[in-house]
């Protein structure tokens, strides 16, 4: 089970290695050649000396233009020690595998992204012995995917969007579209993606909304993370059968979305949503809640 956003941010590329090259091509506009094959490699860069060094994720991409090592580093904050370790990683990997290493940094922080994108130059001014230029994926360039159709076209990219933009006013639409898209892929892959997103949502309201959304997806209940959610439900007295629990979770999700977006919820609206047991009706109200400017807009027919 993924335990932190640091792990999720780079392990998504182990789950779907091709997502990394798509991100380079579409997000960063880097003309990386189309790989014929991508394989995960050992991330341990430890030498004989007792100094342990590990990259986060290491992939080998075979292309018509040559073989490349894709070195993925998940970065939570500014860390100037990377000025020494990143050049070391690239030099060591080139020496070991004799193919070109490419450094990709992924972060949820715009400030960290700006720091990581600055070239690392070693040497004296005017004559640098070594220059490292990381490629950086972060909230300023990863696309915000709020359309269900767009999410379904590239589910891993939609997962990356949710992991990167899991806070702010657009988060409800991002998470809602991704929840719908997850129903279109195989349950085992979807369950892994559920973990990745859950690990990266630092905002408590966003995390609760995501878990509310996931309770409505039946396969989710087979996953270890579901046991944690079920246990929380038991403590709150909400475990009253799967069908009723799904309706209650969907109703709570609708109210969470409205409250999170700063929209006042009158008692009449709260009561009507809370007592509804029609999952199709609740799904329709949930879609309206993402875009509504007033709670009454859940019921436009009135």
């Amino acid at each position: 089970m993924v335990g932190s956003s640091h792990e999720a941010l780079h392990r998504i590329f182990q789950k779907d290695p091709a997502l990394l090259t798509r991100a380079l091509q579409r997000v960063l506009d880097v003309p990386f050649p189309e790989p014929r094959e991508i394989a995960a490699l050992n991330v341990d860069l430890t030498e004989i000396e007792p100094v342990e060094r590990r990259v986060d994720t290491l992939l080998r991409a075979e292309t018509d233009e040559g073989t490349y090592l894709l070195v993925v580093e998940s970065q939570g904050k500014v860390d100037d020690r990377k000025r020494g370790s990143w050049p070391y990683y690239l030099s060591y990997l080139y020496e070991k595998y004799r193919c070109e290493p490419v450094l990709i940094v992924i972060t949820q922080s715009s400030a960290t992204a700006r720091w990581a994108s600055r070239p690392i130059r070693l040497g004296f001014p005017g004559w640098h012995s070594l220059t490292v230029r990381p490629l950086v994926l972060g909230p300023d360039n990863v696309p915000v995917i709020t359309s269900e159709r767009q999410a379904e076209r590239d589910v891993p990219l939609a997962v990356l969007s949710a992991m990167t933009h899991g806070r702010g006013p657009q988060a409800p639409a991002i998470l809602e579209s991704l929840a719908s898209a997850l129903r279109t892929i195989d349950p085992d892959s979807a369950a892994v993606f559920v973990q990745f997103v859950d690990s990266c949502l630092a905002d408590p309201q966003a995390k609760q909304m995501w878990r509310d959304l996931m309770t409505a997806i039946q396969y989710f209940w087979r996953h270890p993370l579901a046991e944690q959610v079920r246990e929380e439900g038991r403590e709150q007295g909400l475990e009253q059968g799967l069908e009723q629990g799904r309706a209650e979770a969907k109703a709570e999700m609708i109210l969470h979305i409205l409250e999170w977006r700063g929209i006042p919820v009158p008692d009449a609206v709260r009561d009507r949503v809370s007592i509804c047991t029609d999952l199709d009706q609740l799904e329709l109200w949930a879609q309206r809640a993402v875009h509504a400017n007033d709670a009454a807009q859940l019921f436009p027919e009135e």
Side-chain angles (χ1 to χ4, degrees):
M1 182 171 175
V2 179
S4 71
S5 60
H6 177 277
E7 289 297 302
L9 280 170
H10 69 86
R11 283 179 55 186
I12 186 175
F13 299 117
Q14 297 175 15
K15 173 64 180 172
D16 185 355
L19 171 64
L20 187 56
T21 56
R22 293 201 302 277
L24 294 179
Q25 296 163 350
R26 301 177 190 176
V27 178
L28 299 179
D29 199 25
V30 173
F32 191 86
E34 195 66 33
R36 298 190 305 272
E37 179 184 354
I38 300 181
L41 302 178
N42 191 332
V43 299
D44 192 346
L45 308 186
T46 306
E47 300 184 71
I48 297 176
E49 297 295 327
V51 178
E52 183 176 303
R53 301 179 188 271
R54 292 179 183 270
V55 296
D56 288 331
T57 286
L58 180 61
L59 304 170
R60 179 168 54 199
E62 304 285 351
T63 78
D64 291 336
E65 299 177 19
T67 301
Y68 295 90
L69 297 177
L70 304 178
V71 185
V72 184
E73 284 283 280
S74 173
Q75 196 67 29
K77 61 183 180 180
V78 173
D79 183 357
D80 286 329
R81 292 176 300 177
K82 298 297 185 180
R83 285 182 52 82
S85 58
W86 285 345
Y88 170 84
Y89 294 165
L90 300 182
S91 298
Y92 176 86
L93 289 168
Y94 179 78
E95 176 64 22
K96 181 176 181 178
Y97 293 99
R98 287 295 167 175
C99 51
E100 301 294 338
V102 180
L103 175 62
I104 301 102
V105 178
I106 180 165
T107 180
Q108 295 174 292
S109 163
S110 295
T112 303
R114 289 191 295 271
W115 162 80
S117 65
R118 294 201 298 264
I120 300 171
R121 296 186 175 94
L122 304 181
F124 62 86
W127 193 274
H128 300 114
S129 301
L130 177 65
T131 300
V132 175
R133 300 180 61 193
L135 296 166
V136 181
L137 294 167
D140 295 330
N141 54 21
V142 171
V144 176
I145 297 179
T146 57
S147 159
E148 289 183 20
R149 183 172 298 179
Q150 188 179 1
E152 290 172 2
R153 282 201 299 266
D154 194 337
V155 174
L157 186 61
V159 173
L160 185 63
S161 177
M163 292 162 63
T164 309
H165 301 285
R167 63 179 64 191
Q170 297 187 92
I174 294 172
L175 297 177
E176 175 78 17
S177 63
L178 175 58
S180 297
L182 287 175
R183 296 185 175 94
T184 67
I185 64 175
D186 70 277
D188 291 334
S189 293
V192 174
F193 289 144
V194 167
Q195 274 197 91
F196 288 156
V197 175
D198 190 84
S199 296
C200 286
L201 293 174
D203 186 300
Q205 289 181 306
K207 186 182 288 285
Q208 184 60 52
M209 177 188 171
W210 179 242
R211 292 184 174 187
D212 289 343
L213 283 166
M214 291 301 96
T215 58
I217 301 179
Q218 191 168 4
Y219 71 77
F220 175 67
W221 294 97
R222 305 199 322 262
H223 200 273
L225 181 59
E227 181 57 37
Q228 178 181 348
V229 177
R230 282 200 296 271
E231 185 60 33
E232 293 170 0
R234 291 189 192 100
E235 294 172 1
Q236 300 169 13
L238 298 178
E239 190 89 339
Q240 302 172 8
L242 180 59
E243 193 68 20
Q244 183 178 351
R246 291 173 67 192
E248 290 177 356
K250 179 68 77 171
E252 286 194 6
M253 178 198 70
I254 295 168
L255 299 175
H256 277 309
I257 292 174
L258 292 172
E259 291 168 354
W260 191 26
R261 296 182 62 223
I263 297 174
V265 182
D267 289 342
V269 172
R270 185 179 301 276
D271 292 343
R272 179 170 179 179
V273 171
S274 298
I275 64 175
C276 182
T277 58
D278 184 334
L279 287 173
D280 291 336
Q281 181 64 71
L282 289 167
E283 176 66 26
L284 178 60
W285 288 345
Q287 294 174 9
R288 291 173 180 170
V290 172
H291 304 287
N293 296 316
D294 185 283
Q297 291 178 0
L298 295 183
F299 323 116
E301 62 276 6
E302 300 177 5

